[in-house]
Amino acid sequence: VSTSLPGDDIFNLQLTKPQLRANGASEALIDKIGASAFRYFRAMAEPFKHRTCEAFRDLRWRLPSGAVHGDAHLEQFVVTDEDFGLADFDNAGYGPAIVDLVRYAASLHLACLEMEGGCDPEQAVTAYFTAYRTALDHPVRRNQPPIVARLRARLGPEPEAWLEWADGLMRPLPRADDERVRSEWFRFVALMGETNPPRPEGFYTISRLGSVEIGLGSALERKMLIRIAGATDDPRDDVILEARNHSLPEYRGCVWRPTGGSLNVFMLTSLLAHPLPEVFGVLPNPQGDELPEIWIQSWERGYRELSLSDVRDQADLNALSADAGTQLAGHFWSTDPEALRGYERFTQLRAFELTEQRARDLARSLAREVIAEWSRFRGQDVQN
């Protein structure tokens, strides 16, 4: 944990349209961020984290560090053919669990503003906190929320539908970029041959690639989807890879990520009890060694991200909240050596008791601030 306060700039929940344009945001992305308070909130992961750290600065030495998601919120829920739960660990690091508690709880307050028919955010926060505390106290089996079956059924059981959906996300790359990726691809294939189980010679053959604009917190990062041949010549077992520039470690505040490259993200993914992708690895950025690495990982078959419009009612929201709490706390039982688990359980439970009510209050307060800043953002003149 840093011994000095971060600068005031990283506590600010304000976004401006000129700032976003200067950072390369398209008008479509700016409109997307301004469409709702929840979307605006999704673009505020870093300042949210710092505001939470600062609010609990008086307790910093009593809050044990552990693996934290770093950007936990309702729409981070992902469903695949084999798994479900919070994903997108590119903001993961080591720090106090309060970071995840506050951000996810704030997302519930903002979600209830937009859900058709409304909902009670405090009820969902209670489900989240109760499940979190229970999973800290003893190992808990995760219960599959009913929404999982609905999301899996949306495209049906046939793999072609999901692959067609992924293809539809790709946008053509400039010719020079396309050629550069294909000419450098042998480096990734060589890395896979050195570090992973043997696969057929044509497994990594590129059949299609394109740029993709997904997410909001990471929307300014350049991303690609790459479709490769997979285990056979049958296109139905093709694999979808996502490639992106990984953000550099943050040295300010109470959450930190180790240096040493993007593979640390996969280490944190594993620590947070989430299965590793079938294919994952990194490549040096071909535009310069001083730039972040290119982080590559496969999407698991059937990969679909939750949208607020998928959440039907309070029961759905409560079930998702409880699952998030169980997942985020449950990893403490599986990642530490057995001799340390009792101590870890005691310190995490004590930290939760110290922070629970303040975390509830801060989540509510920051959600109100997001709404105010979003209203200001929407009111900016388009010429600014």
Side-chain angles (χ1 to χ4, degrees), residues 222-239:
R222 295 184 63 189
K223 305 183 191 73
M224 288 186 301
L225 292 184
I226 304 171
R227 181 169 173 171
I228 58 176
T232 73
D233 292 335
D234 187 338
R236 290 177 296 180
D237 70 5
D238 283 5
V239 177

Side-chain angles (χ1 to χ4, degrees), residues 64-68 93-97 331-332 344 348:
S65 281
V68 294
Y94 295 97
H331 76 86
F332 288 113
E344 181 73 6
Q348 293 292 344

Side-chain angles (χ1 to χ4, degrees), residues 177-216:
D177 290 345
D178 187 289
E179 292 175 349
R180 181 163 54 248
V181 172
R182 293 178 186 273
S183 67
E184 293 287 332
W185 190 240
F186 75 95
R187 302 182 188 277
F188 183 73
V189 176
L191 171 66
M192 294 297 97
E194 291 288 339
T195 59
N196 285 275
R199 290 181 171 127
E201 183 176 350
F203 186 95
Y204 297 100
T205 300
I206 295 175
S207 61
R208 185 175 181 185
L209 73 159
S211 64
V212 62
E213 187 175 290
I214 53 176
L216 280 166

